[in-house]
Amino acid sequence: MSTQPKLAVIYYSSTGTIAEIAKEISQAAEKAGAEVRLRRAAELAPQEAIDSNPAWAANASATADIPVATPEDMVWADAVVFGSPTRYGNIASQLKQFIDTLGGLWAEGKLADKVYSGFTSSATAHGGQESTLLALYNTIHHFGGILVAPGYTDPAKFADGNPYGTSHVDAQGNNPVDETTRTAARVQAERVVKITTALKAGIAAA
């Protein structure tokens, strides 16, 4: 039995901040030894809404080649890292829609005993980052998943200050993803890979 972890990074991003963090997490996880699938949640907004916002339209075009997430990606994965911008202190409807398609897998117990983690962004410093991740993690408890948050397990976490997961303040697109956020993303990815690898090794040895 291979102990190489399979990690799915499943995210929704409108104007690109979450997409950028998702790529950072994916690349760091691969460097840490994981097999990674980067997947985006399907867009629900009408095309006219997307076209009305240049940043939204640009991100939609730039990420069009990233496969849309499917339930099979959840079955495949040993670990899943979800990403979403905050929407009124909760995850975006696009990611919620994907999660809502997983009821059959949940009923079969196929979402249990996997590692889960999350990341987010908001326009302002107190714009719901922590509540968004905590709301996401309520779902993980229902899955019977194993929640692996970064905590303050690395000194770098005192710079970004969010023990629940990587988060970024984009100031309505005026603050690009910076090195503080990228470092937090790498710390989170490495921790998820480390814990998932250890769990797989323990199962293989049992």
Side-chain angles (χ1 to χ4, degrees), residues 8-67:
V9 179
I10 299 176
Y11 75 92
Y12 173 73
S13 183
S14 53
T15 57
T17 298
I18 290 294
E20 192 68 23
I21 299 171
K23 291 176 184 177
E24 191 73 40
I25 288 176
S26 297
Q27 291 167 2
E30 286 182 339
K31 289 180 181 178
E35 181 181 353
V36 178
R37 287 186 183 181
L38 177 62
R39 299 289 188 265
R40 59 186 174 86
E43 182 60 80
L44 302 177
Q47 190 62 45
E48 55 266 29
I50 298 170
D51 292 340
S52 70
N53 183 326
W56 197 352
N59 180 61
S61 176
T63 60
D65 61 331
I66 296 175

Side-chain angles (χ1 to χ4, degrees), residues 123-179:
T124 60
H126 300 285
Q129 292 181 350
E130 294 180 356
S131 65
T132 296
L133 292 175
L134 291 171
L136 170 65
Y137 294 162
N138 286 335
T139 298
I140 305 314
H141 296 309
H142 281 259
F143 285 174
I146 301 166
L147 181 59
V148 175
Y152 293 106
T153 57
D154 186 284
K157 288 303 296 175
F158 289 94
D160 84 291
N162 191 340
Y164 304 101
T166 301
S167 59
H168 182 74
V169 179
D170 76 352
Q172 301 287 5
N174 292 312
N175 291 340
V177 177
D178 58 14
E179 190 55 34

Side-chain angles (χ1 to χ4, degrees), residues 78-120:
D78 301 306
V80 180
V81 181
F82 286 118
S84 171
T86 183
R87 293 290 185 265
Y88 307 112
N90 211 320
I91 63 174
S93 59
Q94 288 86 344
L95 183 62
K96 181 63 164 61
Q97 171 69 14
F98 171 72
I99 291 173
D100 283 348
T101 69
L102 304 177
L105 294 179
W106 166 80
E108 295 173 16
K110 292 184 177 179
L111 303 179
D113 304 329
K114 298 176 184 288
V115 166
Y116 295 89
S117 201
F119 60 99
T120 190

